[in-house]
Amino acid sequence: MADLRGGDLSRLRQLNSLTAIRALRRAGPLTLSALAERTGLSRPSMKEVTDELMALGWVEEVPPSQGTMGRPARRYRFRADSGYLVGVDIGGHNIRAALSDLDGEILAETRQPVLPDAPLGERLAAIERAVTGCLALSRTTVADLWTIAVGTIGVIDVEGRVIYSAAVPTWRDLDLAGKLREMFPCQVLIENDSRLAAMAEARRGVAKGARDVVFLHVGRRMGAGLIIDGKVHRGFGAASGEIVMLPEARWFDAPEHLNTCASVPEGTPPEDAAGHTLAAARNGDPVAAGAVERYVDDLAVGTAAMVLILDPQMVVLGGGFSRSADVLLEPLRRRLERACMRMPEVRASTLGDECVVVGAIDYAVDHLDDQLFTPDRGPLPVSR
Amino acid sequence: MADLRGGDLSRLRQLNSLTAIRALRRAGPLTLSALAERTGLSRPSMKEVTDELMALGWVEEVPPSQGTMGRPARRYRFRADSGYLVGVDIGGHNIRAALSDLDGEILAETRQPVLPDAPLGERLAAIERAVTGCLALSRTTVADLWTIAVGTIGVIDVEGRVIYSAAVPTWRDLDLAGKLREMFPCQVLIENDSRLAAMAEARRGVAKGARDVVFLHVGRRMGAGLIIDGKVHRGFGAASGEIVMLPEARWFDAPEHLNTCASVPEGTPPEDAAGHTLAAARNGDPVAAGAVERYVDDLAVGTAAMVLILDPQMVVLGGGFSRSADVLLEPLRRRLERACMRMPEVRASTLGDECVVVGAIDYAVDHLDDQLFTPDRGPLPVSR
């Protein structure tokens, strides 16, 4: 990322410039007159602003519309490719990364398998490879990166430290934001993976348009993310969604019903056992079907707690097990109908394994928008 | 409430008038110049707007400031007494009502005891007496009432119907909003009592300034109200806060530990039993202390569910049992410290038995504000 030019920056921060950028981001190419109308600025002031934004590399001229009579008016567009964003999903078994332009359009994706008991250094190296892989795929360099947004397993704090993860023993007491800033000289954002997945479903997935959503992030681990009044609910100390920690809600050990099912063939790797059980239940194996029933019994208790407390419009079954929604969704619905005051819609995720990495990109785009409209949020990058 | 004058109304709905009203509500008496500056209107347009608002009875002139040099400027104020609001708390054992001006300043209060098993007609008659008592106390008439806001026991729907109440058998399948509109020819708002109590604590009570609050509405019944991002969280079908319906959360039967304690003297009326147990525990009775421990064990499970899901800044112990906060607060805190990821502040309500009726007044004031700024929310009253 290029250094900031102080004089330009102070002018860039004028609300006028920011309003112009937002108008262009939302509407696509606009003429000076159209921009002036949308921002309330005079045409000469608008011209000054666009000149300034062009000098900073945020805005460029595009060819005039076809077939315009008389002298064609100049049009301007936001350069979504004036910088890039990376989203990262740090899971127990996989590191995923995606690279997008500033509008969140995904241009490259990578995945790196990693063992849950891998040493810390190995996991960090896999993260670095996943990100540099995205840069190579999209022929960009680390200098073009504006923001890396990370969704991680484990409990985080508001400063982007990982406190602890039940699934990955080495993933604790870690200044993750600091480590990533050492690797990549750009802005780093850290968020809980289930919250980012919930955001992605509410923006691009099955919950699009719903204002209140309970997202079940279920697979080998159990997690939850909440959308309340259209926004991700983080909590006062970034610790929301942790119903798994309440023994009475019966989430923590729920996957054991699937992992320890007698239908799982001997010698199956532990991480594949649950998948075997779900597949066997789909194929009519009564022992596997019983294990799935017991799993859904437990899943429904923690889910009912969230539904009774929040009364959401929709519950989304997401995470790795959402691939088995055909086996899980109806039994879950039946139990919630008995337990809840008002029955929400219950739907399967449409983003599947991509949900966290896509949510991380959406989070980075939102953060950029926030910066554009909150001048004291720190310096804005200058495009190269 | 006087009839609306169509022509005035359409003009009143102009944003300019509404902005002027808001400025006056917030700032107190203002001169025309000060009003013009705050609203962005020219002085002549501002004069037109204030003349109009005076004709409608919303605004009046006040004497000029003392000691002003030269010709003193006229000043205008919002007539908070141009209409009145009533808040009602419909409980199992009491009906409370309060009357306030349009700024929410409480001018009169009444209470009517009522038996939980009283027939429906008796409870409705008690509500009518409580409200008309407030009118008599404050020498106002029903024609001066703009809004009645009601907090009620039981589960309601978004149209203000009472679906069901576990505590009061006759309180079900009831068009409460419709019944109240038959009694009082004004706007009627219905809300769950715990949500209004939560709102009152967040506006005027111990949670003032906190953005995320879990309010425990505990007494002979168990309820909860949530403040999320500074607003009451209602839920998609107005059914939020119902953790009491989840058996695993152990709230429903929790008060039985206090009601059935062996320390309660024979012949004590059932509704006074819990109070006896709490008082005996305070005085060192070991049997009562054991009952309180078991009560707090159960209270802590449902509370931990809400804390783990939402990660609030504060938990407020409110409702009837908040009078025994000295006996309950520390044991509750100890259990939450063990169960929760991040420990919230745990505080006792400062509004006590008034919390619902005060919350109902705040709700009516908010609703008036909403109407002022959402022109399609229906007609505005004209002051008499």
Side-chain angles (χ1 to χ4, degrees):
Chain A
M1 191 166 58
D3 272 357
L4 295 163
R5 282 166 274 163
D8 289 342
L9 180 66
S10 66
R11 298 181 66 198
L12 176 66
R13 280 188 178 160
Q14 294 168 6
L15 187 59
N16 292 340
S17 306
L18 302 179
T19 310
I21 290 177
R22 175 155 273 188
L24 290 172
R25 289 194 71 167
R26 296 287 145 91
L30 291 175
T31 62
L32 263 192
S33 310
L35 256 175
E37 195 184 306
R38 278 162 201 249
T39 56
L41 287 182
S42 70
R43 219 171 160 284
S45 311
M46 198 65 244
K47 180 75 171 63
E48 260 181 56
V49 167
T50 47
D51 286 350
E52 187 174 87
L53 290 171
M54 293 217 298
L56 285 163
W58 286 66
V59 162
E60 67 181 3
E61 251 187 271
V62 292
S65 307
Q66 294 287 320
T68 315
M69 297 293 286
R71 205 188 70 182
R74 289 180 192 182
R75 292 188 311 151
Y76 299 88
R77 78 170 188 97
F78 175 65
R79 282 188 56 208
D81 56 351
S82 62
Y84 294 92
L85 310 172
V86 163
V88 182
D89 169 12
I90 304 178
H93 296 78
N94 284 294
I95 310 290
R96 289 168 195 274
L99 181 140
S100 81
D101 67 17
L102 299 182
D103 280 336
E105 181 79 21
I106 292 174
L107 309 171
E109 291 186 68
T110 58
R111 181 174 72 87
Q112 287 270 308
V114 62
L115 293 172
D117 54 359
L120 179 62
E122 223 170 84
R123 187 172 299 270
L124 291 171
I127 295 167
E128 188 158 17
R129 284 197 305 276
V131 174
T132 51
C134 277
L135 294 171
L137 283 170
S138 54
R139 294 169 194 279
T140 54
T141 71
V142 71
D144 298 314
L145 276 190
W146 283 16
T147 305
I148 294 184
V150 175
T152 178
I153 45 168
V155 177
I156 58 163
D157 70 12
V158 290
E159 271 89 38
R161 290 185 60 86
V162 177
I163 308 302
Y164 135 103
S165 159
V168 178
T170 60
W171 206 239
R172 61 162 62 231
D173 302 327
L174 174 68
D175 179 11
L176 181 58
K179 287 280 178 207
L180 289 168
R181 278 190 205 103
E182 284 169 22
M183 292 179 200
F184 305 105
C186 69
Q187 188 168 50
V188 171
L189 310 172
I190 310 288
E191 186 47 286
N192 169 281
D193 54 356
S194 302
R195 287 201 281 270
L196 293 184
M199 180 186 247
E201 290 293 348
R203 292 285 169 83
R204 316 186 180 210
V206 68
K208 196 170 169 179
R211 304 287 297 169
D212 292 289
V213 180
V214 167
F215 178 81
L216 311 178
H217 196 206
V218 294
R220 284 177 293 239
R221 295 168 298 112
M222 306 282 287
L226 309 175
I227 305 291
I228 298 180
D229 203 16
K231 291 189 298 190
V232 170
H233 180 73
R234 209 171 193 225
F236 189 71
S240 70
E242 293 292 342
I243 188 66
V244 69
M245 301 305 291
L246 188 74
E248 289 84 354
R250 289 168 39 188
W251 267 31
F252 195 86
D253 293 324
E256 288 308 298
H257 294 300
L258 306 177
N259 291 332
T260 62
C261 175
S263 316
V264 177
E266 241 178 282
T268 304
E271 65 267 28
D272 296 339
H276 267 281
T277 306
L278 288 162
R282 180 181 295 115
N283 295 328
D285 174 337
V287 176
V292 169
E293 289 287 314
R294 290 190 296 280
Y295 171 72
V296 181
D297 281 344
D298 289 356
L299 175 64
V301 176
T303 306
M306 291 189 281
V307 171
L308 284 165
I309 290 166
L310 293 168
D311 184 23
Q313 179 176 355
M314 194 185 291
V315 170
V316 176
L317 178 74
F321 289 178
S322 66
R323 279 190 297 267
S324 303
D326 58 327
V327 178
L328 298 171
L329 217 51
E330 266 315 306
L332 176 61
R333 222 175 250 144
R334 280 198 303 275
R335 283 160 180 81
L336 292 179
E337 260 161 16
R338 282 199 300 269
C340 297
M341 292 292 313
R342 197 194 63 78
M343 184 66 189
E345 285 180 73
V346 181
R347 309 272 284 273
S349 156
T350 49
L351 295 170
D353 289 335
E354 309 267 285
C355 57
V356 177
V357 82
V358 167
I361 292 284
D362 289 344
Y363 186 49
V365 172
D366 275 11
H367 198 264
L368 181 63
D369 273 359
D370 272 3
Q371 281 185 305
L372 290 176
F373 290 86
T374 317
D376 59 355
R377 280 281 177 96
L380 286 169
V382 174
S383 179
R384 286 144 50 87
Chain B
M1 189 166 58
D3 273 357
L4 294 162
R5 282 165 276 165
D8 290 341
L9 179 67
S10 67
R11 298 181 67 198
L12 177 65
R13 280 188 178 159
Q14 294 168 8
L15 187 60
N16 292 339
S17 305
L18 302 178
T19 311
I21 290 176
R22 175 156 272 187
L24 290 172
R25 290 194 71 166
R26 296 286 145 90
L30 291 175
T31 63
L32 262 192
S33 311
L35 256 175
E37 194 184 305
R38 278 161 201 249
T39 56
L41 288 181
S42 69
R43 220 171 158 285
S45 311
M46 198 65 245
K47 181 75 170 62
E48 260 180 57
V49 167
T50 45
D51 285 350
E52 187 175 87
L53 290 171
M54 292 217 297
L56 284 164
W58 287 67
V59 161
E60 66 181 5
E61 251 186 271
V62 292
S65 306
Q66 295 287 321
T68 314
M69 297 292 285
R71 204 189 71 181
R74 289 179 190 181
R75 293 188 309 151
Y76 300 88
R77 77 169 190 99
F78 175 65
R79 282 187 57 207
D81 56 353
S82 61
Y84 294 91
L85 311 172
V86 163
V88 181
D89 169 11
I90 304 177
H93 296 78
N94 285 293
I95 311 291
R96 289 169 195 275
L99 181 141
S100 82
D101 67 16
L102 299 182
D103 279 337
E105 182 79 22
I106 291 173
L107 308 172
E109 291 187 68
T110 59
R111 183 173 71 87
Q112 286 270 308
V114 62
L115 292 173
D117 53 0
L120 178 62
E122 223 169 84
R123 187 171 298 270
L124 292 170
I127 295 168
E128 189 159 18
R129 283 196 306 276
V131 174
T132 50
C134 277
L135 294 171
L137 282 170
S138 52
R139 296 170 193 279
T140 53
T141 70
V142 71
D144 297 315
L145 276 190
W146 283 16
T147 305
I148 294 185
V150 175
T152 177
I153 44 168
V155 177
I156 57 161
D157 70 10
V158 288
E159 270 89 39
R161 290 185 61 85
V162 177
I163 308 301
Y164 135 103
S165 160
V168 178
T170 60
W171 206 239
R172 61 162 63 233
D173 303 328
L174 174 67
D175 178 11
L176 180 58
K179 287 279 179 208
L180 289 168
R181 278 190 205 101
E182 284 169 21
M183 293 180 200
F184 305 105
C186 69
Q187 187 168 52
V188 171
L189 309 172
I190 309 289
E191 186 46 288
N192 168 283
D193 55 356
S194 301
R195 287 201 281 270
L196 293 185
M199 181 186 245
E201 289 293 349
R203 292 284 169 83
R204 316 187 181 209
V206 68
K208 197 170 169 177
R211 304 288 296 169
D212 293 289
V213 180
V214 167
F215 178 81
L216 312 178
H217 196 205
V218 294
R220 284 176 292 238
R221 295 167 298 112
M222 305 283 285
L226 309 174
I227 304 292
I228 298 180
D229 203 16
K231 290 189 298 190
V232 170
H233 180 71
R234 207 167 195 228
F236 189 70
S240 71
E242 292 293 341
I243 188 66
V244 69
M245 301 305 291
L246 187 74
E248 290 84 353
R250 288 166 43 186
W251 268 30
F252 196 86
D253 292 324
E256 287 308 298
H257 295 299
L258 306 177
N259 291 332
T260 61
C261 175
S263 315
V264 177
E266 240 178 283
T268 305
E271 64 267 29
D272 296 340
H276 266 281
T277 306
L278 289 161
R282 179 183 296 115
N283 295 331
D285 174 337
V287 176
V292 169
E293 289 287 314
R294 289 190 297 280
Y295 171 71
V296 180
D297 281 343
D298 288 355
L299 175 64
V301 176
T303 306
M306 292 190 280
V307 170
L308 284 165
I309 290 167
L310 292 169
D311 184 24
Q313 179 175 356
M314 194 185 292
V315 170
V316 176
L317 179 74
F321 289 179
S322 66
R323 279 190 298 268
S324 302
D326 58 327
V327 179
L328 297 171
L329 218 52
E330 265 315 304
L332 176 61
R333 223 175 249 144
R334 280 199 302 274
R335 283 159 180 83
L336 291 179
E337 259 162 15
R338 283 199 299 270
C340 297
M341 293 292 312
R342 197 195 62 77
M343 184 65 188
E345 285 180 73
V346 181
R347 310 270 283 274
S349 156
T350 49
L351 295 171
D353 289 334
E354 308 268 284
C355 57
V356 177
V357 82
V358 167
I361 292 285
D362 288 344
Y363 185 49
V365 172
D366 275 12
H367 198 265
L368 182 63
D369 273 359
D370 272 2
Q371 282 185 305
L372 291 177
F373 290 86
T374 316
D376 58 355
R377 280 280 176 99
L380 287 169
V382 173
S383 179
R384 287 143 49 87

